[in-house]
Structures are given as C-alpha cells and as structure tokens.
C-alpha cells in the first residue's frame, strides 16, 4: 500500500487488529502501571481507549492522580504523540477512559440483562444475595469481569462504529490469569443451553480470537521470569492468544561489556592508577601520596564492580530465557523517581517507540 512520507517513518504497531489487551504479570511487577501506559500509547494516534481495572484497588485512579473511579466509564486523560515525545502525526489527540468494575453492580447488570429483573434485582441486593453469590462462586465474579471487558471491546455506537478502538484490562496476576480468562468455558459447559450459555460462548469467542492479546509483565529476575514462562505455557494450552512480554524496571548498565568482563581479573593496580589520574588522590604528584589516598577506595569500588557484573550476568540469563519464548518483547526503564504522571507518559512513549502500540 502506498504510504505518505509521514507514515513511512512510523513502524506498524505489533498489535494491529487487537482490540482487547489483557495485561497480566506477577504481582508488583508493574501490571497496573504498564496497563495505563499501554492505554495512553494506544490512544496517542487519536484513538479512544478504555482502561479497565478489575481488582478493585483503585490503582488506576492513583496512577493518574485522580479521585477514586466510580463504576462508570470516565474520561481520565487526553494524549497526543508529542506528549509521548514522538513526532507529531496527522491525527489529533486521543483519549483514555477508565472503568473500575464494581462486582456487585456488575452482577446486578448481568442479572438484569438476562432476566430483566429490574427492581427485583435491587431487592436481591437488600437480602444479601449478591454477597452470597459472589462468595460461594468466585467464578461468578470472573464471569462478570471478563463479560464486561468483552462487551466494551465489541460495543458499537449509534453510528455503527466501534465505541472503543481498544480496551486494556489491568488483569489478575499470572498465577490466576488462565483460569480467569477461561471461566466462561466452564460456565458454557455447565449451562448447556439458554442465555447464559450463549453469553459465555460469545465471551470465549472474543477471548480466543485474534482480537485479544494477553501481555505479561515481568522483571529481569528469576522468579517473575519463571512465572512468565509458565504462564505462557498455560495460556497456549488453554488456546488463549499470547501477546507480548513487557520487561519492566530495567536498569541501565553502569559499566560497559569490557569493564564487566574485566572484573574477574586482578586489576587493582590499573584501577589505582586510573583513580590517581582522575584526581582522586589529591593534587600531589608523589606516587606514594596518591597511592595512599586512593588505597581505601579500591576494595569497595572493586566489590561494587563485582556485584554489578553479577547482576549483569543474571540479567543476561533472564533475557536469554525470555528470548526463547520468541514473543515481541518490550523493555521499560526503571524510573528512579517512581512513576508520576510524567513517568507514565514516558513509559507510554517507550512502548510506542518499541512498536507495542
Ligand atoms: N518502570 C518503573 N519504574 C519505577 N517504578 C515503577 C515502574 N513500574 C512500576 N513502578 C512502581 O512499582 C510499584 C508497583 O507497580 P504496580 O503497577 O502497582 O504493580 P502491580 O499492578 O503489578 O502490582 C508502584 O509503586 C509503581 O509506581
Ligand atoms: Mg496492580
């Protein structure tokens, strides 16, 4: 297809055609952060993106520095390419809306949808039915959450066009993600006919289609990488569409490869000399004076270099394990100041530059 010069510079994003992005990962690796950053990245070319939080901890509101989200789709950010540090494109800014799903209300919505319960639903709420149903059947909760996400991804506006260009879900952690996404196939098996069966099958069709991608967030550490590898095997087995791997909190290397390799040898004398030349021994030109001044620095410095080299080696191993997965992989830097709103936009820019959106 012919491209205008402006488009030629733009890489095709890796997830063209995907409407539902499910972001999972080991707890604490940055799922909520990267789900929010991905939503911003996906909206930057003028799209409308819905960011859904299912764990009910108001992590998204916290990320964007706004008041707790009600159970309603609400605009939380407008975003342009330039805000992500990218050259301006042809499209205007896009927007991110957010929704924190309230299980109880989602259940009532669900009941209303099938049984047109209306006021009876409210009565059920009074007698504690919702508590009952959500407690005895944790699966019910997952049915509601996945159902809601698929509904939003498929929803059409009055003009017949999709309401959202993409939906991003801040999903449960890797250990629970396959079960969570698969819950509707269990439901479809239990309710063999009727509206619940039909709904469950419709949700599974979306989740198993190329319109869905399940991304996993990890760190360059043994445990989260192992969880990622296991999680991906499970997803494959359940025939769920595996997306990319987002490696979060990557620290820049302090020493170059040659310096790391040199750590193993005995370089005490070289380092002492270099420190002296760098002026750390004071102004004296006398070799002994300089040596005496830099001597106390040598062991701690060499020790730090050794620790750094060890870390680099461990990270290299983890990267190699991740490469074996042969999936699109994105690396996001560790932001020293933590993730404020500016940091979130920075991570979004990084995701976009690397082709995730
Ligand atoms: N790239 C990053 N650099 C620095 N801090 C980060 C980064 N990503 C996430 N964090 C911080 O790590 C903590 C956990 O992130 P969060 O997204 O809440 O993880 P999860 O949702 O997986 O539990 C938060 O305080 C967040 O601000
Ligand atoms: Mg979270």
């Amino acid at each position: 297809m012919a491209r205008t010069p402006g488009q030629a510079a733009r890489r095709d994003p890796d997830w063209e055609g995907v409407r539902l992005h499910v972001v999972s990962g080991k707890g604490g690796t940055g799922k909520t952060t990267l789900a929010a950053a991905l939503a911003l990245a996906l909206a930057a070319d003028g799209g409308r993106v819905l960011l859904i939080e299912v764990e009910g901890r108001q992590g998204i509101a916290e990320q964007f520095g706004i008041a707790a989200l009600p159970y309603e789709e609400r605009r939380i950010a407008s975003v342009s390419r330039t805000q992500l540090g990218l050259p301006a494109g042809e499209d205007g800014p896009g927007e991110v809306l957010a929704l924190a799903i309230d299980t109880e209300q989602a259940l009532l919505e669900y009941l209303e949808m099938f049984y047109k319960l209306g006021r009876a639903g409210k009565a059920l709420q009074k007698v504690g039915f919702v508590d009952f149903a959500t407690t005895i059947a944790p699966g019910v909760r997952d049915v509601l959450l996945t159902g809601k996400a698929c509904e939003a991804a498929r929803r059409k506006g009055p003009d017949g066009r999709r309401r959202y260009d993409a939906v991003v879900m801040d999903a449960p952690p890797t250990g629970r993600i396959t079960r969570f996404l698969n819950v509707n196939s269990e439901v479809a098996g239990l309710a063999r006919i009727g509206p619940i069966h039909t709904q469950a099958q419709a949700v599974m069709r979306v989740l198993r289609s190329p319109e869905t991608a399940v991304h996993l967030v990890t760190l360059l550490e043994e445990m989260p990488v192992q969880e990622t590898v296991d999680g991906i095997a499970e997803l494959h087995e359940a025939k769920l569409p595996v997306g990319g791997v987002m490696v979060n909190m990557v620290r820049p290397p302090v020493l170059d490869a040659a310096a790391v390799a040199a750590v193993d040898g005995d370089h005490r004398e070289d380092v002492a000399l270099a420190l002296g030349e760098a002026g750390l021994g004071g102004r004296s030109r006398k070799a002994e004076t300089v040596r005496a001044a830099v001597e106390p620095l040598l062991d701690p410095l060499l020790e730090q270099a050794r620790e750094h080299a060890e870390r680099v080696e461990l990270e290299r191993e983890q990267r190699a394990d991740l490469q074996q997965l042969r999936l699109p992989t994105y690396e996001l830097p560790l932001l020293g100041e933590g993730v404020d709103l500016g940091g979130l936009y920075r991570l979004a820019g990084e995701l976009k530059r690397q082709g995730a959106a």
Side-chain angles (χ1 to χ4, degrees):
M1 203 170 74
R3 281 167 172 252
T4 61
Q7 284 174 310
R10 196 155 94 199
R11 246 189 82 190
D12 281 337
D14 297 337
W15 310 105
E16 197 87 69
V18 168
R19 284 186 182 275
L20 178 58
H21 295 263
V22 178
V23 180
S24 179
K26 185 171 159 56
T29 55
K31 275 191 312 295
T32 303
T33 305
L34 294 189
L38 181 61
L40 286 169
L42 289 165
D45 279 306
R48 186 191 285 131
V49 177
L50 179 67
L51 176 57
I52 298 186
E53 178 165 40
V54 303
E55 301 256 86
R57 285 201 228 101
Q58 294 288 344
I60 290 173
E62 215 172 282
Q63 294 287 353
F64 285 88
I66 52 175
L69 289 164
Y71 180 44
E72 133 196 326
E73 287 156 42
R74 203 170 265 188
R75 191 181 141 142
I76 56 166
S78 132
V79 55
S80 64
R81 292 174 57 88
T82 47
Q83 275 176 296
L84 300 191
L86 300 159
E90 290 154 26
D91 311 296
E95 56 179 2
V96 176
L97 287 86
L99 171 71
I101 297 185
D102 176 280
T103 316
E104 185 165 313
Q105 286 201 37
L107 179 52
L108 288 175
E109 226 177 67
Y110 184 79
L111 291 173
E112 236 172 271
M113 190 159 84
F114 293 123
Y115 307 110
K116 304 273 176 280
L117 273 175
R119 235 176 274 148
K122 303 257 156 52
L124 283 177
Q125 191 176 17
K126 280 208 189 97
V127 300
F129 168 77
V130 172
D131 273 352
F132 171 74
T134 45
T135 317
I136 60 156
V140 170
R141 184 182 158 272
D142 296 353
V143 169
L144 299 172
L145 300 175
T146 48
K148 189 76 197 172
C150 289
E151 181 273 316
R154 279 182 303 173
R155 193 186 309 160
K156 290 191 175 153
D159 57 358
R161 294 179 43 182
R162 302 266 197 158
R163 171 83 181 122
Y164 292 110
D165 296 294
V167 172
V168 179
M169 184 194 233
D170 175 13
T174 326
R176 289 199 285 120
I177 191 65
T178 297
R179 188 97 213 268
F180 173 77
L181 294 174
N182 240 347
V183 67
N184 282 282
S185 59
E186 286 174 41
V187 171
L190 288 174
R192 299 205 157 272
I193 49 167
I196 292 186
H197 177 81
T198 313
Q199 154 79 2
Q201 277 206 319
V203 171
M204 273 332 291
R205 258 200 309 278
V206 175
L207 292 180
R208 291 219 170 105
S209 79
E211 286 201 356
T212 298
V214 185
H215 309 292
L216 294 182
V217 180
T218 186
L219 307 177
L220 281 179
E221 290 168 12
E222 207 170 328
M223 292 268 285
V225 166
Q226 190 55 51
E227 263 194 41
T228 304
V229 172
D230 295 345
I232 283 164
E234 272 181 44
L235 288 166
H236 276 311
E237 203 166 317
K239 299 193 169 54
L240 289 161
V242 175
V245 176
M246 298 176 178
V247 184
N248 195 18
M249 306 194 201
V250 175
R251 288 174 288 185
V254 183
L255 303 175
D256 60 21
V260 168
V263 164
D264 275 342
D266 179 7
H267 298 279
R268 238 184 118 75
E269 293 316 310
D270 298 341
V271 174
L273 212 64
L275 288 178
E277 278 167 11
L280 283 158
R283 283 167 188 273
S284 170
R285 288 175 184 230
K286 272 180 70 186
E288 289 130 71
T289 321
V290 171
R291 178 64 199 225
V294 301
E295 182 63 37
L297 300 174
L298 279 178
D299 286 325
L301 257 178
L302 288 167
E303 180 53 29
Q304 268 192 26
R306 257 189 298 278
E307 275 169 19
H308 180 72
E310 244 172 64
R311 194 193 94 200
V312 169
E313 172 56 18
L314 280 175
E315 288 178 353
R316 196 191 56 73
E317 285 169 20
Q318 302 311 322
R319 268 203 188 86
D321 285 356
L322 291 175
Q323 262 163 18
Q324 302 245 320
L325 294 168
R326 300 189 183 287
L327 295 171
T329 300
Y330 314 99
E331 292 209 358
L332 292 313
L334 172 72
L335 303 180
E337 337 71 62
V339 187
D340 55 6
L341 202 52
L344 208 53
Y345 278 72
R346 215 185 120 193
L347 294 174
E350 227 17 87
L351 282 172
K352 201 150 170 57
R353 258 188 295 280
Q354 294 179 37

